[in-house]
Amino acid sequence: MQKSARLPLTRAQTAWLAALLLSAQLPLWMSVLDWVALVGTGLVILRLLPPVRRLGSTRLRALLLPALALVAALGIRAQFGYFLARDPCVEFLYLLIGIKFLEARDTRDGSLLVCLALFLAVTQFFYTQSLLAALLALPVVIALGGTLASLRAGAAAHADWRAQLAEPVRLTLQGIPIAIVLFILFPRLAGPLWGTATDTAARTGLSERMAPGSISELSLSDAVAFRVDFIGPPPSPRDRYWRGPVLSRFDGREWSALSHLKLGSFARRESAPIDYTVTLEAHGKLWLFALEYPLALPHAPTDEATLGAPVNDIALLTYDQQLLARNMVMQSVRYTVRSASRAKVTAVEGDVADNIGLPNNNQRSALFARELRSRVDSDRAYIDAVLAWFHGDPFVYTLTPPLLDRDPVDAFLFDTKRGFCEHYAGAFVTLLRAAGIPARVVTGYQGGEMSLDADYMIVRQSDAHAWAEALLDGRWQRFDPTAAVAPSRIERGLGAALPAGEPVPYLARMEMTWLKSLRLHWDAVSYQWQRGVVGFDVRRQRDLLREFGFDNPRPVQLAAAIAGVVLAWTALVLGFSRLRASQVDPELALWGRACRRLARAGLARRPDEGPIDFADRAATRWPQCSVALLRIGELYARLRYGPEREQRAALLVRLRVSVDSLPSVRKLRAQS
Amino acid sequence: MTLRPAQTQAIPVSERLASVIDALGRVVVGKQTPLKLALACLLARGHLLIEDIPGVGKSTLAQALAGTLGINYARIQFTSDLLPADVLGVSIFDPAAHAFRFHLGPIFHSIVLADEINRAPPKTQSALLEAMEERQVSIDGETRPLPEPFFVIATQNPAEQIGAYPLPESQLDRFLMAIELGYPDPAAERELLVSGDRRRRIPEISPCADAATLSAWQREVDAVHVAPALLDYVQALLAASRGTSGATPRLQRGLSPRAGLLLVAASRAWALLAGRPMVLPEDVQAVFPALAAHRLAGSARAGGPQAQALLHAVALP
């Protein structure tokens, strides 16, 4: 076995390593802490500066570098409060790579850094599995190939980086079919391995609480909440109410969900049913969003559904008509639901008690409500009066309402009159409850934008919305006070409803059509990525394999299939290169074979080394084979550079015999 | 002169060339490679520039070469007042014959040692260089051919450039090779000290050849086989020197097509010296530094590392 020589790193090798490390760090810039990103990348760059390169040989590093690592570990521990979890460890690795690179001196350090960089490069998929993340991983692969090539070439690695780049690119291309096979056939795990409890990071999305400002904050995000494929025409914009958390409890400032959970029954539909498939992005919570009102439990998408797989156990319906998943949505899910925009939701026992109470602040509102109620003769007339008041009074729909303090409903209704949908929904429900009408806040999304070729709908976080439901005449009915203030919010979306100059997500504005179309194009691509690549889970793998005739394959069969395809491809690639070599010149192929064997035995021909020189060198290394080696060099030289025409065939035979007579790689290694 | 029976691989000429080198080596001690390069230069019909300090054996080399090959030799010491006529020759009125008679200059010899060529003014330099190029001299309307073979060894002292006229690049190109002799290694120097001045042995040299044989050898050089694969390699080297292949950094100036032609010729001569009927990449690599260094950087010393780097950078096709 060859010993890996500890040669000092050349400049080219150092440069390649730096490229590898930087490209591994780059995708994590958005995920790690700011100071970690700055310091970790700074250390890598620092190593390239001349004075630090000299630091590598001083004794200082023996003390300095462990101290640096300790400081980094303590800093991260201080920031997180814990250390042994996914995120702090990724941050530590990020810093560690910079520190290790600072002290890297020889090729063994280089090999270690390659391993560390690869590990770091994979960690970015903890945070995001988008198409962009996959593309960002590509430079790592290329830089990895270049680094390995330059490490292997040793001191002979000239500045010829183009040749070193061409090789890894070629290898990457050759590896793509194998990657595809592994992707399709490798057994899928049911869930991600890394969902550790300490790291349920805050994700953007609705929550079970709503305080003034929480939704308007969400509205600034362009992130996709979910996408919808409609089977049939999509509903009109005014019917696009995507029902999410229902908030019945009010503490005077914040709305929250009830803590107890009761199962409910589905609404009776009063209009045509709409069937659609939702691709919900991970939000770390339980809600499954559906159009108001769902008529049945979600099931696996019909285009992928297979023979009677038990899928109706993924969700349940609560008595306040929320669809809840049985497990937290930690990765994107797809499900098909049937809804109807008109449906009768009858009151159930406990509804009144749960949805009537008010805390005893906001007294002005209570007074106003009682006074207004006494002037009209029915609950419905009262609700109409409140909505008319919202419409008539100078209420302003804005993303940047003033801060509300002690009695937020009072302050909003009578002083500031500036608010976002959560202000209107919350104040509306307060007014209803004050007048003795059971009511609750419903949050979710309102709206949605059709994709470019109109085959699916995109619902973004900026479509987050809050509205109200009141129990009237024994059934729950939807009222949207925001519509009374800013009707265009419901009809045409957020951007149209807000006055110009408000900080709206770029996409919510109707102008900037080229940007919008660019983003829509990108969304179409990443939707396909999400569906086809990230969403390729156990079930879809099983379905695909069934189409190929593998019904419930055993792991052994899968392994055999993978090995078979990989072997066949390798044989094809190698065979092709052999074929090409033999087409060029038979003596070149034979010479190449001899050179490869000697290279594997530890003596590589320099690219510029002539046949006689190399044969001489090999003959001094293996004196017992010197006759054959010298003859090979001479015959090859005569065949390639000599004037022989008639003797070619005979010389070729002799060359082939001599090459075949060379001992095996193992014997050569033993003899050297 | 004995001739061993020709082997299957070797050709008889190379045996005789080997004996020439043996004979030369007895006079110029420990300078095997410069000797072979000088001989290859002569066989390839080129001229040689030696850059070195005095006293390392430049004129010994030239005299020994002339003696071994059995051709005549002249030495011209270049000085700042040297005139072209001092090199080429002059017509003098002969009162007896009532006519001008041309006195041949020292250039009408087979081997001419132009010592310290950079000390002569450009006019004289170019007279010599034109004669080298055209292998004839035209004076007073009459063209006189130079002897065949004709081989100029010019020396240049790199240490003393003050008050000198360094050869311009275009003139440097006239020399097929530029080499440094360098100091002898300790063993050779000891031998030199023990046995005294080698120049005394020059008269004892028995010639191994004559002018006609030398011309025949030069024709042998042209017959050495050059394979397409080798021309590929030469072209790759030329391309690399011009920085067009991308493998090497761009050099100050690349090698001209004429340099390529000369490279093939010198490689042929080297292959003949090695006793091979065809040129191998090793032959090209052996002569390349001597041929390329002064063309790439203006002097053998400055261009040597560049030439070696070029060789390393270009892979065999």
Side-chain angles (χ1 to χ4, degrees):
Chain A
M1 194 59 214
Q2 268 182 292
K3 257 192 277 178
S4 62
R6 300 192 65 163
L7 299 167
L9 288 171
T10 65
R11 287 189 63 172
Q13 289 169 337
T14 313
W16 270 111
L17 270 173
L20 173 64
L21 299 184
L22 288 178
S23 55
Q25 285 180 336
L26 171 78
L28 284 160
W29 278 355
M30 302 308 284
S31 315
V32 296
L33 299 170
D34 287 347
W35 69 268
V36 170
L38 220 66
V39 173
T41 305
L43 286 174
V44 174
I45 294 169
L46 200 66
R47 169 69 165 85
L48 298 176
L49 304 178
V52 182
R53 239 187 273 146
R54 257 174 269 132
L55 176 79
S57 54
T58 62
R59 202 175 292 171
L60 187 65
R61 59 189 214 112
L63 286 173
L64 181 67
L65 297 169
L68 262 179
L70 191 67
V71 167
L74 289 177
I76 290 166
R77 171 77 170 76
Q79 195 100 36
F80 280 85
Y82 50 87
F83 192 77
L84 285 180
R86 189 191 76 196
D87 287 353
C89 285
V90 170
E91 314 250 350
F92 186 57
L93 182 63
Y94 192 100
L95 283 177
L96 202 62
I97 276 182
I99 297 171
K100 178 68 194 165
F101 188 47
L102 211 55
E103 71 139 11
R105 271 190 311 179
D106 52 34
T107 47
R108 218 187 64 166
D109 292 337
S111 313
L112 182 66
L113 272 169
V114 167
C115 297
L116 287 178
L118 281 187
F119 202 87
L120 187 73
V122 174
T123 58
Q124 67 148 320
F125 295 111
F126 286 157
Y127 302 101
T128 166
Q129 297 154 35
S130 65
L131 182 57
L132 193 67
L135 290 179
L136 279 176
L138 209 58
V140 180
V141 177
I142 302 299
L144 167 73
T147 312
L148 289 179
S150 76
L151 283 179
R152 190 188 53 193
H158 304 295
D160 187 10
W161 56 274
R162 263 181 264 203
Q164 285 171 7
L165 201 61
E167 169 110 5
V169 168
R170 193 168 54 84
L171 286 176
T172 308
L173 290 179
Q174 288 174 351
I176 285 175
I178 296 178
I180 291 175
V181 167
L182 285 174
F183 174 77
I184 293 175
L185 292 182
F186 198 83
R188 283 291 181 285
L189 299 164
L193 284 172
W194 52 83
T196 54
T198 46
D199 282 324
T200 40
R203 294 170 194 262
T204 48
L206 291 168
S207 79
E208 55 278 86
R209 296 173 179 281
M210 184 188 83
S214 58
I215 290 186
S216 44
E217 206 172 282
L218 199 55
S219 293
L220 292 173
S221 162
D222 265 345
V224 173
F226 52 90
R227 299 181 177 87
V228 191
D229 288 305
F230 285 99
I231 303 155
S236 66
R238 75 177 67 189
D239 287 334
R240 292 176 191 164
Y241 279 91
W242 303 95
R243 208 179 149 92
V246 177
L247 312 176
S248 297
R249 194 188 287 163
F250 186 45
D251 66 357
R253 172 174 180 80
E254 192 179 76
W255 290 87
S256 54
L258 291 172
S259 49
H260 53 269
L261 191 142
K262 282 185 282 181
L263 291 186
S265 54
F266 285 100
R268 256 186 295 124
R269 76 180 163 92
E270 293 173 342
S271 65
I274 306 167
D275 290 298
Y276 52 92
T277 300
V278 176
T279 308
L280 179 61
E281 297 291 318
H283 56 62
K285 300 282 168 38
L286 289 173
W287 301 291
L288 300 176
F289 293 92
L291 271 182
E292 219 163 46
Y293 292 90
L295 300 176
L297 283 175
H299 58 82
T302 43
D303 54 321
E304 295 145 19
T306 48
L307 320 159
V311 286
N312 52 358
D313 58 351
I314 63 166
L316 46 88
L317 182 82
T318 63
Y319 79 106
D320 50 6
Q321 302 287 314
Q322 299 182 59
L323 281 178
L324 294 185
R326 291 192 185 262
N327 293 305
M328 282 198 279
V329 182
M330 298 305 290
Q331 53 188 145
S332 72
V333 290
R334 274 169 69 75
Y335 51 88
T336 297
V337 201
R338 164 173 287 198
S339 294
S341 50
R342 315 256 175 283
K344 186 177 180 186
V345 185
T346 46
V348 294
E349 196 191 330
D351 261 1
V352 175
D354 283 338
N355 295 300
I356 196 74
L358 276 180
N360 50 15
N361 62 348
N362 297 317
Q363 281 305 317
R364 273 197 285 168
S365 309
L367 211 67
F368 173 81
R370 279 197 292 275
E371 198 257 332
L372 188 63
R373 178 67 185 88
S374 66
R375 275 196 270 149
V376 294
D377 49 4
S378 71
D379 285 347
R380 183 167 292 279
Y382 170 72
I383 292 172
D384 288 343
V386 171
L387 288 177
W389 180 59
F390 275 140
H391 186 67
D393 249 45
F395 279 100
V396 177
Y397 182 65
T398 174
L399 263 176
T400 51
L403 218 62
L404 302 172
D405 196 19
R406 283 264 302 283
D407 293 328
V409 178
D410 280 0
F412 164 63
L413 282 179
F414 303 111
D415 303 338
T416 66
K417 291 183 190 289
R418 297 168 63 83
F420 199 57
C421 55
E422 72 261 34
H423 297 83
Y424 290 99
F428 182 74
V429 172
T430 310
L431 288 178
L432 260 55
R433 286 188 180 186
I437 307 169
R440 61 195 180 197
V441 173
V442 182
T443 58
Y445 298 90
Q446 202 284 324
E449 168 188 39
M450 292 313 286
S451 69
L452 276 184
D453 31 9
D455 57 351
Y456 67 95
M457 181 185 280
I458 307 162
V459 178
R460 299 176 188 280
Q461 297 296 352
S462 56
D463 293 320
H465 192 49
W467 60 94
E469 277 180 347
L471 186 61
L472 215 58
D473 310 330
R475 58 186 279 185
W476 285 101
Q477 297 182 31
R478 181 179 72 215
F479 294 95
D480 193 343
T482 310
V485 179
S488 52
R489 161 69 182 86
I490 307 306
E491 295 290 338
R492 289 167 55 207
L494 184 62
L498 287 170
E502 290 257 349
V504 192
Y506 283 121
L507 276 194
R509 291 263 185 230
M510 288 305 200
E511 312 88 330
M512 308 188 75
T513 41
W514 66 269
L515 189 65
K516 213 173 159 83
S517 107
L518 194 71
R519 276 290 298 259
L520 285 174
H521 274 293
W522 175 248
D523 190 83
V525 175
S526 47
Y527 180 48
Q528 292 304 326
W529 171 263
Q530 206 68 26
R531 274 186 62 169
V533 179
V534 180
F536 188 79
D537 54 9
V538 186
R539 203 183 60 243
R540 297 187 56 185
Q541 186 182 36
R542 199 178 49 209
D543 297 345
L544 187 71
L545 289 180
R546 187 170 292 144
E547 269 182 39
F548 285 118
F550 288 112
D551 220 339
N552 281 326
R554 280 180 295 150
V556 184
Q557 289 171 315
L558 278 183
I562 292 172
V565 174
V566 170
L567 276 179
W569 174 250
T570 314
L572 201 69
V573 170
L574 287 181
F576 183 71
S577 61
R578 282 272 164 85
L579 191 72
R580 223 173 33 176
S582 64
Q583 268 173 354
V584 174
D585 267 320
E587 74 266 16
L588 210 57
L590 284 168
W591 173 245
R593 218 166 85 196
C595 288
R596 276 195 299 274
R597 183 175 299 185
L598 294 179
R600 283 214 305 274
L603 188 76
R605 186 177 74 87
R606 291 196 316 275
D608 60 309
E609 199 170 18
I612 303 292
D613 285 351
F614 181 55
D616 282 351
R617 208 151 64 90
T620 43
R621 171 95 173 247
W622 290 288
Q624 59 277 28
C625 314
S626 61
V627 177
L629 287 167
L630 291 175
R631 190 183 300 131
I632 289 171
E634 188 204 310
L635 286 168
Y636 167 70
R638 280 178 68 188
L639 278 161
R640 185 148 173 82
Y641 299 105
E644 279 87 358
R645 290 265 161 82
E646 299 81 28
Q647 300 179 37
R648 267 189 73 86
L651 288 174
L652 264 177
V653 170
R654 285 177 61 195
L655 179 59
R656 178 160 297 140
V657 170
S658 303
V659 171
D660 288 341
S661 77
L662 278 182
S664 70
V665 173
R666 196 182 304 166
K667 273 188 194 157
L668 283 172
R669 273 189 195 162
Q671 287 168 2
S672 71
Chain B
M1 172 90 228
T2 55
L3 260 177
R4 272 180 278 164
Q7 295 172 348
T8 47
Q9 281 311 301
I11 46 177
V13 180
S14 62
E15 294 293 321
R16 296 185 64 185
L17 284 170
S19 64
V20 169
I21 291 185
D22 278 351
L24 280 171
R26 281 195 289 276
V27 181
V28 185
V29 181
K31 292 273 172 265
Q32 194 72 5
T33 309
L35 273 178
K36 282 175 78 176
L37 280 173
L39 196 54
C41 197
L42 172 57
L43 289 174
R45 296 194 181 90
H47 303 285
L48 180 67
L49 179 67
I50 302 178
E51 289 175 18
D52 230 319
I53 53 168
V56 290
K58 289 175 298 225
S59 47
T60 314
L61 172 70
Q63 284 181 43
L65 210 53
T68 319
L69 296 174
I71 45 182
N72 57 14
Y73 159 83
R75 173 189 170 136
I76 315 170
Q77 179 65 48
F78 276 50
T79 55
S80 54
D81 57 355
L82 193 75
L83 297 175
D86 298 330
V87 176
L88 305 178
V90 66
S91 293
I92 295 170
F93 187 72
D94 184 354
H98 288 277
F100 282 97
R101 233 181 66 201
F102 187 70
H103 288 254
L104 296 177
I107 198 164
F108 288 90
H109 285 83
S110 280
I111 292 188
V112 177
L113 176 66
D115 220 359
E116 301 195 72
I117 188 172
N118 55 336
R119 307 223 6 225
K123 198 175 176 183
T124 313
Q125 282 178 0
S126 66
L128 171 76
L129 293 162
E130 273 175 49
M132 279 163 55
E133 185 65 24
E134 285 156 25
R135 291 172 186 273
Q136 61 187 19
V137 172
S138 299
I139 291 173
D140 303 337
E142 197 179 337
T143 302
R144 296 166 200 274
L146 289 169
E148 183 69 33
F150 175 63
F151 183 48
V152 174
I153 301 177
T155 74
Q156 199 166 212
N157 187 346
E160 285 170 32
Q161 291 287 5
I162 298 170
Y165 305 90
L167 290 175
E169 282 92 26
S170 59
Q171 308 283 44
L172 279 174
D173 203 39
R174 304 272 166 93
F175 291 97
L176 175 58
M177 292 183 192
I179 59 172
E180 291 179 291
L181 279 183
Y183 299 110
D185 58 72
E189 191 157 32
R190 185 56 169 257
E191 200 186 326
L192 202 68
L193 292 172
V194 167
S195 57
D197 194 353
R198 293 280 158 158
R199 224 178 294 191
R200 275 181 306 176
R201 292 201 187 171
I202 290 173
E204 301 162 13
I205 294 176
S206 56
C208 304
D210 52 30
T213 321
L214 201 53
S215 296
W217 289 348
Q218 287 178 339
R219 283 193 296 278
E220 287 275 357
V221 166
D222 298 337
V224 172
H225 180 76
V226 173
L230 189 103
L231 292 179
D232 289 345
Y233 179 54
V234 170
Q235 279 194 304
L237 278 173
L238 296 177
S241 78
R242 296 161 193 164
T244 45
S245 70
T248 46
R250 187 171 287 274
L251 295 168
Q252 259 182 327
R253 40 180 180 261
L255 294 175
S256 64
R258 180 165 68 182
L261 268 175
L262 295 175
L263 178 59
V264 173
S267 306
R268 279 180 155 139
W270 191 269
L272 192 72
L273 283 178
R276 272 195 285 268
M278 73 274 190
V279 182
L280 293 185
E282 281 90 337
D283 302 322
V284 179
Q285 290 166 356
V287 298
F288 184 77
L291 185 128
H294 63 295
R295 291 187 163 83
L296 293 174
S299 80
R301 178 165 296 174
Q306 287 181 18
Q308 288 295 348
L310 263 181
L311 281 180
H312 283 303
V314 177
L316 290 178

